[in-house]
Amino acid sequence: MTIIFLLIGISLCVALTFLGAFLWAVRSGQYEDDYTPSVRVLFDDEATPDETA
């Protein structure tokens, strides 16, 4: 029975860690630009001078 309480405590700590990481990513602007990555694949990269030869 003791192991159940230990596992519940550990799982709560892991869940709170992931929640904290997610909130930190949201507050730091990680998810602000959701348009550019979806259309970036459609545009060609500009060739550098050494790639044109």
Side-chain angles (χ1 to χ4, degrees):
M1 190 68 178
T2 307
I3 193 69
I4 293 174
F5 294 127
L6 180 67
L7 290 174
I8 289 172
I10 291 172
S11 65
L12 284 175
C13 289
V14 170
L16 289 175
T17 301
F18 281 113
L19 178 64
F22 173 73
L23 292 175
W24 173 76
V26 168
R27 288 185 182 177
S28 68
Q30 182 74 25
Y31 299 110
E32 284 184 7
D33 186 16
D34 58 349
Y35 178 71
T36 303
S38 63
V39 297
R40 186 180 302 153
V41 72
L42 301 175
F43 300 110
D44 289 332
D45 293 335
E46 293 183 16
T48 57
D50 58 339
E51 291 177 354
T52 57

